[in-house]
């Protein structure tokens, strides 16, 4: 089917940065390059405006760009610059999207594929194995660092120019569905690592936002918590549960426990072991539950307090004496 120049310009306007006009004209390599670089970073899409008539004529067989009378295409500084630029771009994308893949493998492979893609635009191509070998060798010399994408791209681009050639003519063209399928797979292979990296980055951002939200929720409570902590340090808050609730003897710190124990036994702080034993024996007789059946609940509580106070004061001393 003959290609129409008006249709080509319409597709250039509507989907030029995605290479729709190149798909229409059967220039799949050019279309893939435009898809992955958004129209050659914008500038290539505008440059296509002046070349559409010649490409339409070539697609219709009424004209062919380039001198096919020569065995080797003429050197193109513009193509060389595009190879270097796209090679660097692909290498940086690999460094960002494939951080778990060794740099000595991912970056030169991506650089070589980018250079090969530019080499295959139009009626020209180059030897892919030589391009990849040059990219891997340059990356190895620079130990796979991120900055190695520049020398790797330069080496691959120079190799591509040295081994450039024309594509074979007269080859049968696949159906449109097959072409679109292959283009879709190539775009998916390019975009999937970046999408995964974006998802992981989004999860990290959500975690950070959640932590910030929790911090913002806790911030208004900081003055209250600080004042409560200060009150506890000064002894104005956080007293003994036994004193507050009349329950068993559980003061909060070691010094408070001993002070409370002396108070329960009715002794001044620092009393001797003999005084502790004597006071305990006397008070146990007074508050034993068997002797206070008429107030059994209170007697039981006091009896437990006496036991705990005695263990607090006499226990360590018995251990030291033993």
């Amino acid at each position: 089917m003959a290609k129409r120049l008006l249709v080509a310009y319409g597709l250039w306007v509507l989907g030029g940065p995605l290479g729709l006009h190149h798909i229409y004209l059967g220039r799949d390599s050019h279309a893939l390059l435009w898809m992955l670089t958004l129209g050659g970073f914008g500038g290539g899409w505008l440059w296509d405006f002046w070349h559409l008539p010649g490409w339409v004529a070539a697609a219709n067989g009424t004209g062919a760009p380039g001198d096919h009378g020569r065995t080797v295409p003429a050197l193109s500084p513009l193509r060389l610059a595009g190879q270097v630029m796209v090679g660097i771009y692909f290498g940086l994308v690999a460094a960002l999207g494939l951080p778990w893949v060794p740099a000595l493998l991912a970056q030169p492979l991506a650089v070589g594929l980018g250079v090969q893609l530019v080499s295959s635009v139009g009626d020209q191509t180059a030897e892919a194995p030589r391009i990849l070998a040059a990219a891997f060798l340059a990356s190895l010399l620079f130990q796979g660092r991120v900055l190695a994408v520049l020398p790797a791209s330069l080496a691959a681009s120079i190799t591509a120019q040295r081994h450039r050639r024309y594509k074979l003519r007269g080859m049968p063209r696949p159906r449109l569905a097959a072409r679109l399928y292959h283009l879709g797979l190539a775009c998916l292979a390019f975009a999937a690592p970046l999408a995964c990296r974006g998802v992981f980055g989004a999860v990290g951002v959500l975690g950070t936002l959640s932590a910030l939200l929790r911090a913002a929720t806790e911030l208004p409570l900081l003055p209250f918590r600080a004042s409560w902590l200060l009150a506890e340090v000064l002894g104005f808050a956080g007293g003994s549960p036994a004193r507050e609730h009349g329950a068993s003897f559980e003061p909060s710190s070691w010094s408070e426990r001993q002070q409370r124990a002396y108070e329960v036994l009715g002794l001044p702080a620092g009393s001797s072991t003999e005084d502790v034993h004597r006071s305990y024996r006397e008070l146990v007789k007074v508050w034993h539950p068997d002797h206070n059946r008429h107030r059994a609940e209170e007697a039981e509580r006091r009896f437990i307090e006496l036991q705990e106070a005695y263990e607090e004061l006499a226990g360590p001393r018995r251990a030291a004496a033993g």
Side-chain angles (χ1 to χ4, degrees), residues 157-173:
S157 301
I158 293 173
T159 303
Q161 288 295 326
R162 287 176 56 87
H163 298 279
R164 64 191 183 276
R165 56 182 172 81
Y166 286 111
K167 293 179 181 178
L168 296 178
R169 304 186 65 182
M171 297 294 292
R173 182 176 300 175

Side-chain angles (χ1 to χ4, degrees), residues 21-311:
H21 54 297
H22 290 299
I23 296 177
Y24 173 69
L25 297 175
R27 302 169 59 87
D28 291 348
S29 297
H30 211 156
L32 179 60
L33 178 63
W34 260 216
M35 290 177 185
L36 301 183
T37 62
L38 289 181
F41 310 107
W45 169 59
L46 297 176
W47 185 263
D48 287 351
F49 180 83
W50 289 271
H51 293 273
L52 277 177
W55 291 337
V56 171
N60 291 328
T62 58
D67 185 4
H68 287 263
R70 303 177 56 178
T71 58
V72 178
L75 178 65
S76 172
L78 181 61
R79 186 182 292 264
L80 177 61
Q83 288 169 335
V84 174
M85 185 180 301
V86 173
I88 294 174
Y89 170 62
F90 273 45
L92 293 177
V93 168
L96 291 174
L98 300 171
W100 55 86
V101 180
L104 286 174
L105 175 62
Q107 293 181 21
L109 178 61
V111 169
L113 292 177
V115 173
Q116 175 63 24
L117 179 59
V118 180
S119 303
S120 301
V121 167
D123 59 348
Q124 298 184 24
T125 186
E127 298 181 15
R130 293 179 181 272
I131 293 175
L132 292 174
F136 273 98
L137 181 59
S139 181
L140 183 62
L141 292 176
F142 286 87
Q143 300 179 356
R145 298 173 182 173
V146 176
L147 294 178
V149 296
L150 175 57
S153 183
L154 283 172
S157 301
I158 293 173
T159 303
Q161 288 295 326
R162 287 176 56 87
H163 298 279
R164 64 191 183 276
R165 56 182 172 81
Y166 286 111
K167 293 179 181 178
L168 296 178
R169 304 186 65 182
M171 297 294 292
R173 182 176 300 175
R175 294 180 177 274
L176 178 61
R179 292 167 53 206
L180 293 178
Y181 174 72
H182 294 150
L183 288 173
L185 286 181
C187 291
L188 181 63
F190 182 86
L194 290 178
C196 292
R197 187 64 181 268
V199 169
F200 292 144
V203 171
V205 170
L206 290 177
T208 303
L209 292 177
S210 178
L212 290 176
L213 182 60
R214 289 196 301 268
T217 305
E218 294 287 337
L219 188 60
L221 301 177
L222 285 179
F224 172 75
R225 292 186 176 180
S227 60
W228 182 259
L229 179 60
L230 180 61
E232 286 187 342
V233 171
L234 297 178
F236 296 109
S240 164
R243 184 180 306 176
E244 293 176 3
H245 305 287
S248 63
F249 169 68
E250 297 177 359
S252 58
S253 66
W254 180 81
S255 59
E256 291 179 352
R257 288 199 302 267
Q258 284 200 338
Q259 182 66 33
R260 175 61 177 163
Y262 282 120
E263 293 178 2
V264 170
L265 294 175
L267 296 173
S271 298
S272 64
T273 304
E274 291 77 10
D275 292 338
V276 171
H277 290 313
R278 177 182 51 78
S279 179
Y280 169 70
R281 288 193 297 268
E282 294 176 355
L283 291 174
V284 161
K285 294 177 183 178
V286 174
W287 291 105
H288 197 282
D290 293 341
H291 303 157
N292 297 274
R293 297 185 182 276
H294 58 287
R295 46 178 180 175
E297 186 175 346
E298 180 184 2
E300 185 178 358
R301 176 177 59 81
R302 295 295 298 271
F303 187 78
I304 292 175
E305 289 183 356
L306 288 170
Q307 293 280 356
E308 294 179 349
Y310 180 73
E311 288 296 327

